[in-house]
Amino acid sequence: AMVTLLRRNPEIQPLLAILQVKRQKDTCRINYFDICKELLKLNNDPKVHGVYLHLPAASLTSRVLDAPLKVKSVLLVGGEGPLRLALQCLIERSGVEVNTSHWNSKSLQTQVHLHLFSNLTVKDCNRWIQNQQYRPWRLRSLKLLPLTPVPSDIEISRAQTPKPVDQLAEEIGLLPEELEAYGRNKAKVQLSLLDRLHSQPDGNYVLVAGITPTPLGEGKSTVTIGLVQALSAHLKLNSFACLRQPSQGPTFGVKGGAAGGGYAQVIPMEEFNLHLTGDIHAITAANNLVAAAIDARMLHEATQSDKALFNRLVPTVNGVRTFSPIQISRLRRLGISKTEPTSLTPQEVSAFVRLDLDPSKITWQRVLDTNDRFLRKITVGQASTEKGQIRETGFDIAVASEIMAILALSDSLKDMKDRLAHMVVGTSRSGGPVTAEDLGVSGAVAVLMKDAIKPTLMQTLEGTPVFVHAGPFANIAHGNSSVLADKLALKLVGRDGFVVTEAGFGADIGMEKFFNIKCRASGLRPNVVVLVATVRALKMHGGGPNVSAGAPLPREYINENLSLVAGGCHSNLKKQIQIAHLFGVPVVVALNVFKTDTRAEIDLVCQIAKTCGASDAVPCHHWSQGGRGCLELAQAVKEATRRPSNFQFLYPTEMPIVEKIRTIAQKVYGANDMELSPEAKSKIDYYNQQGYGSLPICMAKTHLSLSHMADKKGAPTGFILPIRDIRASVGAGFIYPLVGTMSTMPGLPTRPCFYDIDLDPDTEEITGLF
Amino acid sequence: AMVTLLRRNPEIQPLLAILQVKRQKDTCRINYFDICKELLKLNNDPKVHGVYLHLPAASLTSRVLDAPLKVKSVLLVGGEGPLRLALQCLIERSGVEVNTSHWNSKSLQTQVHLHLFSNLTVKDCNRWIQNQQYRPWRLRSLKLLPLTPVPSDIEISRAQTPKPVDQLAEEIGLLPEELEAYGRNKAKVQLSLLDRLHSQPDGNYVLVAGITPTPLGEGKSTVTIGLVQALSAHLKLNSFACLRQPSQGPTFGVKGGAAGGGYAQVIPMEEFNLHLTGDIHAITAANNLVAAAIDARMLHEATQSDKALFNRLVPTVNGVRTFSPIQISRLRRLGISKTEPTSLTPQEVSAFVRLDLDPSKITWQRVLDTNDRFLRKITVGQASTEKGQIRETGFDIAVASEIMAILALSDSLKDMKDRLAHMVVGTSRSGGPVTAEDLGVSGAVAVLMKDAIKPTLMQTLEGTPVFVHAGPFANIAHGNSSVLADKLALKLVGRDGFVVTEAGFGADIGMEKFFNIKCRASGLRPNVVVLVATVRALKMHGGGPNVSAGAPLPREYINENLSLVAGGCHSNLKKQIQIAHLFGVPVVVALNVFKTDTRAEIDLVCQIAKTCGASDAVPCHHWSQGGRGCLELAQAVKEATRRPSNFQFLYPTEMPIVEKIRTIAQKVYGANDMELSPEAKSKIDYYNQQGYGSLPICMAKTHLSLSHMADKKGAPTGFILPIRDIRASVGAGFIYPLVGTMSTMPGLPTRPCFYDIDLDPDTEEITGLF
């Protein structure tokens, strides 16, 4: 029995019952229902005048708080004051339905119990109650004293001392047991928080997207960070930024960090950009376990009889032969309802043991979080131990793994586990999909991913909380941070708060996928879109010369040129605003100001943006000034959330695949139509046949143009969007048409930035990372 | 200036000086020398009656505590009481030489300062003093109530609630700032501890090794854990276990976990066996960055002129052209002392830009922590973007990376950085070694490894502290846990304490390498060797039938058979004891008792072991009883440490390579001689020519026999040890002769254990992992 009436304690009070609650040996669950029942019994015992409830320490962990109670019943509760409060808490936690009217308050003397009821429990219950309720945070802002000229990112980051992460967590209302620190500056947050704050209303949900960028990027991350710095440190509103975890590979190639820049950064930037809390490493391990399982399975199938395979797959252990649960799942999918291994017919044995993967139709690649171009196309299995089973395949960068897309779209551990099981790794020779569950590996993959599903808490330069979680590749996947981080943040900021999340690439890609894929998975509805623009990118869209990384900027981008700016506003900016309006969401344009921008250029952008339908358009100076430089944007966003947002999807999922693609091509990209290659056509037939026809679409298109042609700037029209091929991420839950060729493994240039990266062994400081 | 005389505070005392110490913007260092100087100046100012020292919060972090002071000078100190104590602490920390006789105690009134001196500092200093001194820990043991029959490992692990890791850390005398928690159950420990406890004497150093094992393993890890459980929880002696981090790959293959077993385990075992604190992931990232750099560099050299390469490698940035420090290092090695890029001659440019790697002589492999047999031999570079630069190579399991061996042998961040720079990745066409530093990548590799160098603290089932750190492959590397973990543990346990560390494989391999390689690198001297034996393995060595994994044990191993036992004792056990004695270290034989062992068998082993020279020989029952079952061993080990240990190396490093190999072959393995293949001979010539001749030897030999022939049990004699080939890990610092073929990438069987591994999404509990 979990609940023991330990003794009537003579030391305290002759008629006091001590109710000691013990954990069951093999579980951490506390059965609150049993406790309440026991309390009720004592309540009805006229000899008992008091109850001392002793809960084990572990009962305060979130694991227990969240443990769902299977039995539901009605408990009658009454009485007044703290005891009643405490009991109600217990009851709430237990999931038992409550009727407060019939509690026998005579025998349960609240005056007595006020003192005798475990202090710990009363304190805990009060805290519990308190923490369910919305309150403005008492967030200690970190003071920023911006210097001119603006120092390097790493210098700015290092000059600021972050708050200890447990202090930050306390400030934003997290319980200590909901936090798993990883060193001093970052911590994972447990998903149980979602249950605890279940009844808390969500805060405002703001998406930062951008116009079509130059190859240099236009500063969406810095705007995201600057905006939350302004909202929290200056307007004193609860606010949270949700960012993607950057891939580590490009950090050592050409890209540098991704923690923002100037006075709008996540700190410490080196921790943000390196291993973080190991999520991408977990994805690499999980992805490659699936890959190893595929090739090993093909080898074993190629070299063994049905009988030998069956004897090994379902061995006799201590005289007993049973299917493991994951094998039972496979049997069910094969339409075999037997559970006794020896009862299978030879045909059933053969169907069970042979995945019969077609080596030419394996879609699963290995991954590494390293820019290793020589792994783009490789031949594996050339050692003699693999008996000639060689095969051409390749490695992608780790963030391109379907498991990363799944991490970003899952809304619970169970949901993630289901998605992982459904991942399709290839096709059998008879044409059916083969899943990770068929390989028997999806449970192990879930085990490898069990910590990665918890978002990582960090902070901005001004002490605003930030969730860093998931970073799926923005072309072959949806390029948005995780659903779970957004959900947790929306609960934490509460009713009047703001969660600012960022979509990769231009709004035609990142925002479209945010709405049609991420919001569909999460059920969340955005209130405002912040559309980031720069004078530089607008000039490019207005007809300015080519902008490319590494080359010096042409004169047009340094000197005032109002006609180019106007041209860009009336083409790309206008079109991107219209795209957001297709989804019924108001738009605030944030002009990320560079020091070469003139007053007239800035004014012109803001003026035209408003005539194009933006709710507001404001210049932002976060890079040089931090949150203070984003105050105008913060006010505009706050204002815009008061406007009605009539969110709607662009297409219903039940629309045929071809029509969904056409809708995006025409309405979002401005194409006349799209055309399918023969490969794409046959893939669509196959996906329809397999029942994947109602998945949403995740276009793999260049981000450098609204069209498929990277050099067509502004707002191209009159083109036909060519669909070269179509693939599916069944576990993640989308179909991705390929418009052109996407590189999924970056390379190292002649002088990678690792030449400048070093560690001072005395101070442990990193140099040259950015 | 870092130290500011802020103001004479009129509120507190007219003549009180407030000395405010500020951090310099770009560093965390506090210059204690400057503080002391300033204090001295105030001391000599007759107008100042008191000093209020205000240290920044960050001054309490270990980074500051450890910052070595470059300037050394003499400071005169006097006075009495807490202030003097505090000042002395400051001075001690600053590394300044102290002469306490001439302090002007008149003007520095200690009575006044007692109150005015920053409370924080005084408290901190007192704690500081206290923590330098040896004390028996007040370790809270976790109670163990062993069940019969012994439940599964995971059930035992889960039934025990570990102490929060910060509590454990406090119990063993760690300061909070020396700990970096990773969740609740594990934490990294900062190396600064070594400086803080510099003057603390080391504890006793115990090595657990084993006789030549059966393929099933004989329980060295469980003995290691059981022994520290006995020493700490039962004998109340400070003690620490140092274990290797297991490779994650085999966890999903055939092996299962490595956290011990039964009632001698590290908990939580699932965290021990999975990602832990990400060290192996860091090694994977670091190793593969080097690999990517090799292939990318070969591609760029193959497709560009000297001039183009030079322009890219040393670009003009904002009109300035400079070498990065790592490039200057390369120039130095090339004998070029110039630092001005434009002053290089065309020959010098060519020598600088062309590593000219010979593709057929690249020794660096990629790694993954996955059992992926299809990566054993692969062809890379087959995508058209790599312009036909295809090459055959392969992946090893991550723990086989040289970086893992380096992690295990480094004794500081600086030492690790140096070793990483010296790693040889291949040979140039002209025959010279090419290093990671030549590739420009070794600084970045050190950055990726900067957290991995800190050992991870966990605990046993009975609450004893455990360091888990590094796990180099035991054949091609030295198979021992890290030097740093052992050093930290020896300081933490102090004078009368015990550190128990484990060597992989049989004593002929793991122990020989522990002595000749690890102890040489660390300078540490072991006090006792615990030699683990089982009746099972002894019977095998005595002539029993073949033992193999998966097959049922032959009858001889289940029924009493004294003559087989005696045969094993007089052959393998005796020889392994003699090997330990070669190094001058006393041996305690630990017989790991199985339930089929009879009383007579146990007694026989203990009796013969003692006649063969063991200081003692005792049966161990830790698996079924925990620490209590290892009490006899703990007493025997304690007793043995009182015996003199006259440690000596088997060979001096300056002995020629051939002689070093012969010495090991003859003295350790019992061979008549060894013979070198032509490849091995020419490699030895090459290594001598390159100056690697004085590196110690790391034999890559089967662990299943004292000889090179796995089926020769007992103590074979009269054989010639064939050396097939020789390789070098120059960064790690050893040469490894290959005796036979070593697989460095395990594979997956037909039914890998991942079939049983699953995650309960409600409780987050893992099933089937062990």
Side-chain angles (χ1 to χ4, degrees):
Chain A
M2 286 213 304
V3 182
T4 326
L5 181 56
L6 194 67
R7 54 196 163 120
R8 312 225 162 155
N9 191 330
E11 286 165 45
I12 311 180
Q13 180 109 358
L15 295 176
L16 179 72
I18 296 187
L19 195 63
Q20 178 151 29
V21 181
K22 281 193 191 164
R23 257 190 339 148
Q24 274 189 332
K25 237 181 228 113
D26 57 344
T27 164
C28 275
R29 291 189 193 186
I30 297 291
N31 191 333
Y32 288 104
F33 179 63
D34 282 356
I35 303 174
C36 293
K37 260 199 323 201
E38 204 63 33
L39 280 172
L40 251 190
K41 237 192 282 169
L42 293 171
N43 189 42
N44 294 330
D45 180 347
K47 285 177 293 180
V48 174
H49 285 198
V51 180
Y52 188 94
L53 186 66
H54 183 77
L55 289 171
S59 70
L60 301 178
T61 67
S62 55
R63 243 213 267 203
V64 169
L65 293 177
D66 313 330
L69 192 79
K70 299 272 148 67
V71 189
K72 292 237 170 194
S73 182
V74 178
L75 186 74
L76 313 178
V77 176
E80 291 298 328
L83 176 61
R84 183 179 159 187
L85 202 68
L87 283 171
Q88 273 189 334
C89 290
L90 279 178
I91 291 154
E92 250 178 65
R93 279 191 209 171
S94 73
V96 169
E97 282 176 48
V98 179
N99 178 335
T100 54
S101 56
H102 307 300
W103 185 261
N104 176 357
S105 61
K106 273 188 194 157
S107 58
L108 251 186
Q109 297 291 337
T110 53
Q111 285 302 332
V112 176
H113 294 284
L114 177 57
H115 292 286
L116 298 177
F117 203 87
S118 159
N119 270 332
L120 181 65
T121 308
V122 171
K123 223 174 76 188
D124 173 52
C125 289
N126 279 331
R127 194 179 54 161
W128 163 263
I129 292 275
Q130 221 173 41
N131 278 301
Q132 311 320 302
Q133 280 154 10
Y134 170 75
R135 63 185 167 95
W137 299 336
R138 280 193 223 146
L139 197 72
R140 183 170 72 84
S141 299
L142 302 176
K143 275 220 184 91
L144 215 53
L145 297 168
L147 301 175
T148 316
V150 176
S152 76
D153 290 355
I154 186 82
E155 286 171 307
I156 294 174
S157 170
R158 196 168 293 154
Q160 194 73 300
T161 305
K163 294 179 277 194
V165 71
D166 49 350
Q167 181 193 325
L168 171 67
E170 197 192 336
E171 289 173 359
I172 62 174
L174 281 165
L175 305 181
E177 58 264 31
E178 288 165 346
L179 205 69
E180 294 172 8
Y182 279 64
R184 280 181 233 308
N185 302 314
K186 47 197 196 298
K188 284 196 167 285
V189 172
Q190 296 193 351
L191 304 185
S192 57
L193 182 69
L194 282 179
D195 294 331
R196 178 169 67 83
L197 299 183
H198 182 72
S199 53
Q200 170 96 289
D202 283 351
N204 296 293
Y205 195 27
V206 180
L207 177 74
V208 175
I211 66 167
T212 302
T214 71
L216 311 176
E218 308 314 307
K220 287 192 306 293
S221 298
T222 59
V223 168
T224 303
I225 298 165
L227 175 55
V228 293
Q229 289 182 187
L231 286 164
S232 70
H234 301 274
L235 299 188
K236 305 295 174 197
L237 292 163
N238 292 1
S239 64
F240 230 112
C242 291
L243 298 176
R244 290 167 291 168
Q245 180 185 358
S247 176
Q248 193 171 262
T251 305
F252 297 99
V254 287
K255 184 167 162 287
Y263 286 101
Q265 289 189 55
V266 179
I267 55 171
M269 69 163 357
E270 56 270 45
E271 297 192 22
F272 180 89
N273 282 297
L274 295 176
H275 310 287
L276 202 71
T277 50
D279 296 353
I280 294 181
H281 295 323
I283 288 166
T284 304
N287 182 97
N288 294 342
L289 181 60
V290 176
I294 292 169
D295 279 310
R297 180 62 175 251
M298 287 199 297
L299 171 70
H300 294 305
E301 286 189 26
T303 54
Q304 293 176 46
S305 67
D306 286 0
K307 194 169 166 230
L309 282 170
F310 193 63
N311 284 344
R312 289 205 172 85
L313 284 169
V314 194
T316 304
V317 179
N318 300 327
V320 187
R321 194 168 190 184
T322 50
F323 292 113
S324 69
I326 205 163
Q327 291 178 327
I328 301 256
S329 297
R330 172 159 169 79
L331 288 169
R332 292 287 163 283
R333 276 196 306 287
L334 292 171
I336 303 168
S337 59
K338 301 175 182 173
T339 55
E340 173 55 52
T342 52
S343 68
L344 263 60
T345 67
Q347 287 77 13
E348 287 171 337
V349 165
S350 183
F352 171 73
V353 299
R354 298 213 172 267
L355 306 183
D356 202 25
L357 271 161
D358 183 340
S360 68
K361 289 190 177 160
I362 290 170
T363 49
W364 196 262
Q365 298 252 96
R366 289 170 175 84
V367 302
L368 272 188
D369 195 12
T370 308
N371 283 16
D372 194 346
R373 49 191 298 167
F374 275 72
L375 296 179
R376 283 170 183 161
K377 195 165 161 194
I378 63 173
T379 298
V380 300
Q382 293 178 317
S384 60
T385 47
E386 277 57 70
K387 301 169 186 165
Q389 300 280 311
I390 64 165
R391 181 169 79 81
E392 268 194 5
T393 180
F395 276 72
D396 295 328
I397 190 98
V399 294
S401 169
E402 181 173 352
I403 297 177
M404 175 58 101
I406 288 176
L407 177 68
L409 289 170
S410 297
D411 76 350
S412 68
L413 201 53
K414 181 170 183 326
D415 183 33
M416 180 174 77
K417 215 186 127 181
D418 289 345
R419 289 173 188 261
L420 291 172
H422 297 144
M423 295 186 303
V424 172
V425 301
T427 310
S428 70
R429 285 199 176 83
S430 61
V434 175
T435 66
E437 196 175 39
D438 286 324
L439 286 164
V441 78
S442 57
V445 166
V447 165
L448 283 168
M449 292 292 295
K450 104 184 172 40
D451 292 317
I453 199 174
K454 303 168 198 161
T456 297
L457 178 67
M458 292 188 77
Q459 65 193 286
T460 69
L461 272 173
E462 299 190 52
T464 324
V466 176
F467 274 139
V468 190
H469 201 217
F473 226 46
N475 41 29
I476 65 160
H478 65 295
N480 280 271
S481 63
S482 85
V483 162
L484 277 167
D486 288 0
K487 286 196 165 179
L488 288 169
L490 284 165
K491 289 296 177 201
L492 282 167
V493 298
R495 173 162 42 81
D496 303 325
F498 288 82
V499 171
V500 184
T501 192
E502 184 199 342
F505 289 175
D508 53 314
I509 303 183
M511 181 182 73
E512 184 270 312
K513 294 176 180 177
F514 173 83
F515 288 141
N516 280 323
I517 298 174
K518 184 175 173 184
C519 288
R520 223 184 282 260
S522 69
L524 297 172
R525 298 295 171 255
N527 299 89
V528 183
V529 165
V530 171
L531 193 66
V532 177
T534 60
V535 166
R536 180 175 68 195
L538 289 168
K539 283 176 174 173
M540 178 187 72
H541 291 300
N546 200 23
V547 174
S548 66
L553 270 184
R555 184 171 297 263
E556 286 84 346
Y557 293 98
I558 294 155
N559 301 331
E560 182 171 287
N561 190 324
L562 294 172
S563 78
L564 287 182
V565 169
C569 289
H570 285 299
S571 59
N572 195 272
L573 177 64
K574 183 177 172 186
K575 174 67 180 165
Q576 298 282 22
I577 294 171
Q578 287 169 344
I579 295 170
H581 286 166
L582 280 178
F583 296 88
V585 183
V587 175
V588 173
V589 171
L591 182 67
N592 183 16
V593 175
F594 292 6
K595 63 180 173 205
T596 48
D597 299 351
T598 68
R599 181 85 225 175
E601 286 175 335
I602 294 168
D603 289 347
L604 186 64
V605 175
C606 294
Q607 180 225 312
I608 302 177
K610 281 182 263 191
T611 63
C612 292
S615 304
D616 205 343
V618 296
C620 301
H621 303 271
H622 49 279
W623 186 79
S624 55
Q625 297 173 30
R628 191 171 300 283
C630 244
L631 265 176
E632 218 181 326
L633 176 63
Q635 294 287 11
V637 165
K638 198 178 150 191
E639 195 57 41
T641 55
R642 299 213 183 102
R643 300 202 174 200
S645 166
N646 303 304
F647 180 74
Q648 58 186 22
F649 296 117
L650 188 66
Y651 55 80
T653 51
E654 53 278 15
M655 189 186 265
I657 293 177
V658 177
E659 288 311 309
K660 285 187 275 203
I661 299 174
R662 181 171 286 127
T663 302
I664 295 171
Q666 292 177 336
K667 295 205 180 163
V668 178
Y669 305 157
N672 274 5
D673 202 353
M674 57 104 204
E675 66 182 356
L676 301 172
S677 70
E679 292 78 22
K681 267 193 197 128
S682 70
K683 284 284 186 62
I684 291 177
D685 292 343
Y686 176 71
Y687 292 145
N688 281 330
Q689 176 206 324
Q690 293 298 336
Y692 308 148
S694 62
L695 292 175
I697 300 297
C698 183
M699 299 294 281
K701 179 183 80 68
T702 177
H703 61 297
L704 297 170
S705 168
L706 277 158
S707 75
H708 59 287
M709 301 156 285
D711 56 342
K712 301 286 181 208
K713 305 300 179 184
T717 52
F719 59 94
I720 308 286
L721 191 80
I723 308 296
R724 187 171 62 83
D725 198 357
I726 300 195
R727 306 218 175 116
S729 284
V730 178
F734 53 71
I735 281 175
Y736 60 104
L738 299 177
V739 187
T741 317
M742 300 293 142
S743 168
T744 48
M745 174 54 94
L748 292 175
T750 305
R751 188 191 193 284
C753 47
F754 62 58
Y755 266 93
D756 299 311
I757 297 174
D758 203 2
L759 182 71
D760 181 327
D762 290 335
T763 61
E764 294 186 29
E765 277 177 3
I766 296 170
T767 51
L769 192 50
F770 309 98
Chain B
M2 284 212 308
V3 182
T4 323
L5 179 58
L6 195 66
R7 56 195 161 119
R8 312 225 161 154
N9 192 329
E11 286 164 45
I12 308 179
Q13 181 108 356
L15 296 176
L16 180 70
I18 296 187
L19 194 65
Q20 179 151 30
V21 182
K22 281 191 188 165
R23 259 195 331 152
Q24 275 189 329
K25 234 175 230 118
D26 56 346
T27 164
C28 275
R29 293 190 192 184
I30 297 290
N31 189 332
Y32 288 104
F33 179 64
D34 283 357
I35 303 173
C36 293
K37 260 199 324 199
E38 205 62 34
L39 280 172
L40 251 190
K41 235 192 283 166
L42 292 171
N43 188 42
N44 294 329
D45 181 346
K47 286 176 292 180
V48 175
H49 286 199
V51 180
Y52 188 95
L53 187 67
H54 184 78
L55 291 170
S59 70
L60 302 178
T61 68
S62 55
R63 244 214 266 203
V64 169
L65 293 178
D66 313 329
L69 192 78
K70 300 272 145 71
V71 190
K72 289 237 170 192
S73 179
V74 178
L75 185 75
L76 312 177
V77 176
E80 293 297 330
L83 175 62
R84 184 179 159 186
L85 203 67
L87 282 172
Q88 272 188 333
C89 291
L90 279 177
I91 291 156
E92 249 178 67
R93 275 189 211 173
S94 72
V96 169
E97 285 177 44
V98 179
N99 176 335
T100 56
S101 58
H102 308 299
W103 184 261
N104 176 354
S105 63
K106 274 189 194 157
S107 58
L108 252 186
Q109 298 290 338
T110 51
Q111 286 302 329
V112 177
H113 293 284
L114 177 56
H115 291 286
L116 298 178
F117 203 88
S118 158
N119 270 332
L120 181 64
T121 308
V122 172
K123 222 174 75 187
D124 173 50
C125 288
N126 280 330
R127 194 180 51 162
W128 163 263
I129 293 272
Q130 221 173 41
N131 278 300
Q132 310 322 301
Q133 281 151 12
Y134 171 75
R135 61 186 169 91
W137 299 336
R138 280 194 222 146
L139 197 74
R140 185 170 72 82
S141 300
L142 302 176
K143 276 219 185 91
L144 214 54
L145 297 167
L147 301 175
T148 316
V150 176
S152 76
D153 291 354
I154 186 80
E155 284 171 308
I156 293 174
S157 170
R158 195 168 293 153
Q160 194 72 301
T161 305
K163 294 180 276 192
V165 71
D166 49 350
Q167 182 194 322
L168 171 66
E170 198 193 333
E171 289 173 358
I172 62 173
L174 282 165
L175 305 182
E177 57 267 29
E178 289 165 344
L179 203 71
E180 294 172 9
Y182 278 66
R184 279 181 235 306
N185 302 316
K186 48 195 193 300
K188 283 196 166 286
V189 172
Q190 295 193 354
L191 304 186
S192 58
L193 182 68
L194 281 180
D195 294 330
R196 177 167 71 81
L197 298 183
H198 181 71
S199 54
Q200 170 95 288
D202 283 352
N204 296 292
Y205 195 28
V206 179
L207 177 74
V208 174
I211 64 167
T212 302
T214 71
L216 310 176
E218 309 313 308
K220 286 192 307 294
S221 298
T222 59
V223 169
T224 303
I225 298 165
L227 174 55
V228 294
Q229 287 182 185
L231 286 165
S232 70
H234 300 275
L235 300 188
K236 305 295 175 198
L237 293 164
N238 292 2
S239 63
F240 230 112
C242 291
L243 298 176
R244 289 166 292 167
Q245 180 186 356
S247 176
Q248 193 172 261
T251 305
F252 297 100
V254 286
K255 183 168 163 287
Y263 285 101
Q265 290 190 55
V266 180
I267 54 171
M269 71 166 351
E270 54 271 45
E271 298 191 22
F272 180 89
N273 281 296
L274 296 176
H275 310 287
L276 201 71
T277 50
D279 296 352
I280 294 181
H281 294 324
I283 288 166
T284 304
N287 182 96
N288 293 340
L289 181 59
V290 176
I294 292 168
D295 279 312
R297 180 63 173 251
M298 288 200 296
L299 171 69
H300 294 306
E301 286 189 27
T303 54
Q304 293 176 44
S305 68
D306 287 0
K307 193 168 166 229
L309 283 169
F310 193 63
N311 285 343
R312 288 206 174 85
L313 284 169
V314 194
T316 304
V317 179
N318 300 326
V320 187
R321 194 168 189 184
T322 51
F323 291 115
S324 69
I326 205 164
Q327 291 177 327
I328 301 257
S329 298
R330 173 161 168 76
L331 287 170
R332 292 287 164 281
R333 275 196 306 286
L334 293 171
I336 303 168
S337 60
K338 301 175 182 173
T339 56
E340 173 57 51
T342 52
S343 68
L344 265 60
T345 65
Q347 287 76 12
E348 289 171 337
V349 165
S350 183
F352 172 74
V353 300
R354 297 213 173 267
L355 305 183
D356 203 26
L357 272 160
D358 182 341
S360 68
K361 290 189 178 163
I362 291 171
T363 49
W364 196 261
Q365 299 250 96
R366 290 171 175 81
V367 302
L368 272 188
D369 196 11
T370 308
N371 283 16
D372 193 345
R373 50 192 296 164
F374 274 72
L375 296 179
R376 285 171 182 162
K377 193 162 160 197
I378 64 172
T379 298
V380 299
Q382 295 179 316
S384 59
T385 48
E386 278 56 71
K387 300 168 187 167
Q389 301 279 311
I390 64 165
R391 183 169 78 81
E392 267 195 6
T393 180
F395 277 70
D396 294 328
I397 190 97
V399 293
S401 169
E402 181 173 352
I403 298 178
M404 175 57 102
I406 288 177
L407 178 69
L409 289 171
S410 298
D411 76 351
S412 69
L413 201 52
K414 180 166 184 330
D415 183 35
M416 180 175 77
K417 219 189 124 178
D418 290 344
R419 289 172 187 262
L420 292 171
H422 296 145
M423 295 186 303
V424 172
V425 302
T427 310
S428 70
R429 286 200 176 83
S430 61
V434 175
T435 65
E437 197 175 39
D438 286 324
L439 286 165
V441 77
S442 57
V445 166
V447 165
L448 283 168
M449 292 294 294
K450 105 184 170 41
D451 292 319
I453 199 174
K454 302 167 198 162
T456 297
L457 178 68
M458 292 187 75
Q459 65 193 283
T460 70
L461 271 173
E462 298 190 52
T464 324
V466 176
F467 274 139
V468 190
H469 200 218
F473 226 47
N475 40 29
I476 64 158
H478 65 293
N480 279 271
S481 64
S482 86
V483 162
L484 277 167
D486 288 1
K487 287 197 163 181
L488 288 169
L490 285 165
K491 290 294 176 201
L492 281 167
V493 298
R495 178 159 41 81
D496 303 325
F498 288 81
V499 171
V500 184
T501 191
E502 184 199 341
F505 289 174
D508 53 316
I509 304 183
M511 182 183 72
E512 184 271 312
K513 294 175 182 179
F514 172 82
F515 288 142
N516 281 322
I517 299 174
K518 186 176 174 184
C519 288
R520 223 183 282 262
S522 70
L524 297 172
R525 299 294 171 257
N527 299 90
V528 183
V529 165
V530 171
L531 194 66
V532 177
T534 59
V535 165
R536 180 175 68 196
L538 288 168
K539 284 177 174 173
M540 178 186 74
H541 290 300
N546 200 25
V547 174
S548 66
L553 269 183
R555 183 171 299 261
E556 286 83 347
Y557 296 98
I558 293 154
N559 300 334
E560 181 172 285
N561 190 323
L562 294 172
S563 77
L564 287 181
V565 169
C569 289
H570 285 298
S571 58
N572 196 271
L573 178 64
K574 182 176 174 189
K575 174 69 180 160
Q576 299 282 22
I577 292 171
Q578 287 168 344
I579 296 171
H581 286 166
L582 281 179
F583 295 87
V585 184
V587 175
V588 172
V589 170
L591 182 68
N592 183 15
V593 175
F594 292 4
K595 64 179 175 207
T596 48
D597 299 350
T598 67
R599 182 82 224 179
E601 287 174 333
I602 294 169
D603 289 345
L604 185 64
V605 174
C606 295
Q607 180 225 311
I608 302 179
K610 280 183 263 189
T611 63
C612 293
S615 305
D616 205 346
V618 295
C620 302
H621 303 272
H622 48 278
W623 186 78
S624 56
Q625 296 173 29
R628 189 170 300 283
C630 244
L631 264 177
E632 217 181 327
L633 177 64
Q635 294 286 13
V637 166
K638 199 180 150 192
E639 194 56 43
T641 56
R642 300 213 182 103
R643 299 202 175 201
S645 166
N646 303 305
F647 179 73
Q648 59 186 24
F649 295 117
L650 188 65
Y651 54 80
T653 50
E654 54 274 19
M655 189 185 266
I657 294 176
V658 176
E659 288 311 309
K660 284 186 275 201
I661 298 173
R662 180 170 290 126
T663 302
I664 296 170
Q666 292 177 333
K667 297 207 181 162
V668 179
Y669 304 158
N672 274 3
D673 201 354
M674 58 106 203
E675 68 182 355
L676 300 171
S677 71
E679 292 77 23
K681 268 192 196 131
S682 69
K683 283 284 184 63
I684 291 178
D685 292 342
Y686 176 71
Y687 292 145
N688 282 330
Q689 175 205 326
Q690 293 299 334
Y692 307 148
S694 63
L695 292 175
I697 301 298
C698 184
M699 300 293 283
K701 180 185 78 73
T702 178
H703 61 296
L704 296 172
S705 168
L706 277 158
S707 75
H708 59 286
M709 301 156 286
D711 54 343
K712 302 284 182 215
K713 305 300 180 186
T717 52
F719 59 94
I720 308 285
L721 192 79
I723 308 296
R724 187 170 61 81
D725 198 356
I726 300 197
R727 307 224 172 112
S729 285
V730 177
F734 53 70
I735 281 176
Y736 59 104
L738 299 176
V739 186
T741 317
M742 299 293 142
S743 168
T744 49
M745 174 54 96
L748 291 174
T750 304
R751 187 191 193 284
C753 46
F754 62 60
Y755 266 94
D756 299 310
I757 297 173
D758 203 2
L759 182 71
D760 181 327
D762 290 335
T763 62
E764 296 184 27
E765 276 176 5
I766 296 169
T767 51
L769 192 50
F770 311 95

